[in-house]
Amino acid sequence: QVQFVESGGGLVQPGGSLRLSCVASGFTFRLFGITWYRRTPGKERELVASISPGSRATDYKASVKGRFTMSRDDAKNAVYLQMNNLKPEDTGVYYCNAVALVGSSQYWGQGTQVTVSS
């Protein structure tokens, strides 16, 4: 059973930082790229960051590049998103998922809420 469990969100002021965690299960984690998406009410999910298997190469949405850092720990089936210099437009529910895992769109977790407000 594929599962993603996100945590680490919260309320922060602009310029603050958060570290999100995602623990996955039900598939061979180390073989797959992993992504972070976020969703704001009234908008579709948008891809925020991704990390490849093996080489751990990362890619980021342009608006977060230089502020967010994604990492993975395959021994723990976990990925992380370090978010620095947060801006109000970063507000949303953050979800992790797997790249090219058949049926992965069926396994969205509950996400973790990030609110950036003064």
Side-chain angles (χ1 to χ4, degrees):
Q1 185 176 21
V2 175
Q3 187 174 14
F4 301 93
V5 180
E6 301 93 346
S7 62
L11 173 64
V12 296
Q13 294 184 345
S17 297
L18 286 171
R19 184 176 184 257
L20 307 185
S21 297
C22 167
V23 178
S25 59
F27 63 101
T28 308
F29 182 87
R30 67 179 179 85
L31 299 181
F32 289 85
I34 306 295
T35 57
W36 283 100
Y37 283 80
R38 71 184 174 204
R39 186 174 183 178
T40 300
K43 297 179 64 177
E44 295 290 308
R45 285 187 180 93
E46 60 182 347
L47 180 64
V48 176
S50 61
I51 188 164
S52 71
S55 71
R56 298 180 171 87
T58 54
D59 199 14
Y60 302 92
K61 179 178 174 65
S63 62
V64 310
K65 189 175 179 65
R67 300 188 296 117
F68 291 10
T69 302
M70 189 174 180
S71 59
R72 67 189 295 159
D73 184 345
D74 290 342
K76 297 180 178 179
N77 281 11
V79 297
Y80 308 96
L81 187 66
Q82 178 66 47
M83 305 187 296
N84 298 325
N85 192 23
L86 283 160
K87 301 177 179 180
E89 54 263 41
D90 296 320
T91 294
V93 181
Y94 284 69
Y95 303 85
C96 59
N97 214 298
V99 176
L101 175 63
V102 174
S104 64
S105 64
Q106 305 174 34
Y107 303 119
W108 294 102
Q110 294 299 302
T112 186
Q113 175 72 49
V114 171
T115 303
V116 185
S117 177
S118 60

